[in-house]
């Protein structure tokens, strides 16, 4: 079925739930599947970069376990956002010492949001780390990232599932969506913050859903809903959920061929 076909891998944003992407990658490798081109937004861009860099699954997980989400010295009062996103650059340099898209083993497309023009921006050449930081800079927690005088923020604002950047370059598309929405109860919308979060999640999911179902193969594990977007304690759980869903789905796909 996939013999001699080029494969595109699309990874959505979704915070810590994105560890499920790594679980899928582990399942893919166990089935001797390797993507030729990768596109990602936010946490999907970070996982995509590590995958395109040929890092092992253990190295990918360690990257997220060792990178502090809320480090006191990273808090800022001089930028929009509670945490200075660019302070993470030195941590990223340990994993991407050459700091270029060209140094990766696979082509990678990273989506961020140009806050000045209100348009999405895709990065795929030149410096790597700043676009990665920008793509994952979820407002208002993380400050926008300045690249050549333009402020960029989380790519999920404009495009949380950037399938279009791989579809004309590959013959088979694998998608992983971790921006999960499930039904909630009336009491779950009891204040403005919860209501805003719910509306935002629904908007992102609506824009994701059609493109996700156009993929040749995809996972969208509903169990990820129980994991907080910024809850580092959920790293292993999200990874295991992604691995289990990926393994089952791939086994089913190959059994039908």
């Amino acid at each position: 079925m996939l013999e001699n076909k080029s494969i595109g891998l699309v990874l959505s944003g979704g915070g810590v739930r994105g560890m499920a992407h790594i679980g899928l990658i582990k399942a893919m490798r166990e089935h001797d599947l390797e993507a030729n081109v990768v596109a990602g937004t936010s946490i999907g861009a970070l996982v995509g970069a590590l995958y395109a860099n040929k890092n092992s699954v253990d190295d990918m997980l360690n990257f997220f376990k060792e990178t502090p989400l809320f480090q006191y010295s990273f808090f800022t009062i001089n930028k929009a956002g509670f945490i200075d996103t660019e302070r993470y650059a030195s941590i990223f340099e340990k994993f991407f010492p050459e700091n270029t898209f060209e140094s990766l083993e696979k082509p990678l497309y990273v989506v961020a949001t140009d806050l000045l023009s209100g348009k999405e921006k895709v990065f795929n050449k030149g410096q790597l780390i700043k676009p990665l930081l920008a793509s994952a800079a979820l407002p208002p927690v993380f400050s926008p990232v300045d690249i050549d005088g333009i402020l960029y923020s989380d790519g999920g604002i404009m495009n949380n599932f950037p399938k279009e950047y791989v579809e004309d370059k590959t013959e088979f598309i694998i998608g992983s969506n971790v921006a999960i929405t499930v039904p909630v109860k009336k009491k779950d919308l009891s204040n403005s913050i919860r209501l805003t979060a719910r509306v935002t999640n629904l908007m992102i999911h609506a824009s994701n859903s059609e493109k996700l179902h156009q993929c040749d193969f995809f996972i969208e594990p509903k169990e990820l809903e129980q994991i907080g977007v910024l809850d580092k304690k959920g790293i292993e759980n999200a990874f295991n959920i992604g691995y289990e869903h990926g393994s089952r789905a791939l086994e089913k796909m190959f059994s039908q061929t």
Side-chain angles (χ1 to χ4, degrees), residues 8-101:
L9 178 64
V10 186
L11 306 175
S12 79
V16 170
R17 296 170 184 172
M19 300 304 96
H21 296 325
I22 304 176
L24 171 61
I25 288 168
K26 179 180 179 182
M28 287 171 58
R29 286 177 171 170
E30 289 179 353
H31 286 80
D32 296 320
L33 286 181
E34 284 289 343
N36 303 90
V37 184
V38 188
T41 294
S42 197
I43 194 74
L46 302 185
V47 173
L50 292 164
Y51 176 65
N53 198 42
K54 290 289 185 75
N55 286 97
S56 68
V57 165
D58 287 341
D59 282 345
M60 294 184 203
L61 286 173
N62 286 335
F63 173 85
F64 293 102
K65 289 176 180 177
E66 294 170 7
T67 301
L69 269 180
F70 304 108
Q71 184 158 310
Y72 181 74
S73 62
F74 288 5
F75 278 76
T76 179
I77 58 173
N78 300 317
K79 293 185 176 183
F82 302 118
I83 296 173
D84 184 351
T85 306
E86 294 186 48
R87 294 292 298 275
Y88 288 91
S90 59
I91 298 172
F92 281 46
E93 286 168 1
K94 297 175 185 176
F95 283 79
F96 307 106
E98 294 184 51
N99 189 21
T100 64
F101 280 87

Side-chain angles (χ1 to χ4, degrees), residues 167-188:
E167 58 191 5
D168 62 339
K169 302 171 184 67
T170 56
E171 301 163 284
F172 189 93
I173 299 177
I174 296 175
S176 179
N177 178 42
V178 298
I180 306 301
T181 60
V182 297
V184 299
K185 298 185 183 302
K186 196 173 179 180
K187 64 180 177 60
D188 296 324

Side-chain angles (χ1 to χ4, degrees), residues 14-20 43 69 227-235 238-239:
V16 170
R17 296 170 184 172
M19 300 304 96
I43 194 74
L69 269 180
I227 298 171
V229 171
L230 296 175
D231 181 12
K232 284 192 71 173
K233 294 178 182 177
I235 286 177
F239 166 73

Side-chain angles (χ1 to χ4, degrees), residues 186-200:
K186 196 173 179 180
K187 64 180 177 60
D188 296 324
L189 303 177
S190 57
N191 59 53
S192 298
I193 293 175
R194 289 184 174 185
L195 178 62
T196 301
R198 177 63 173 171
V199 171
T200 301

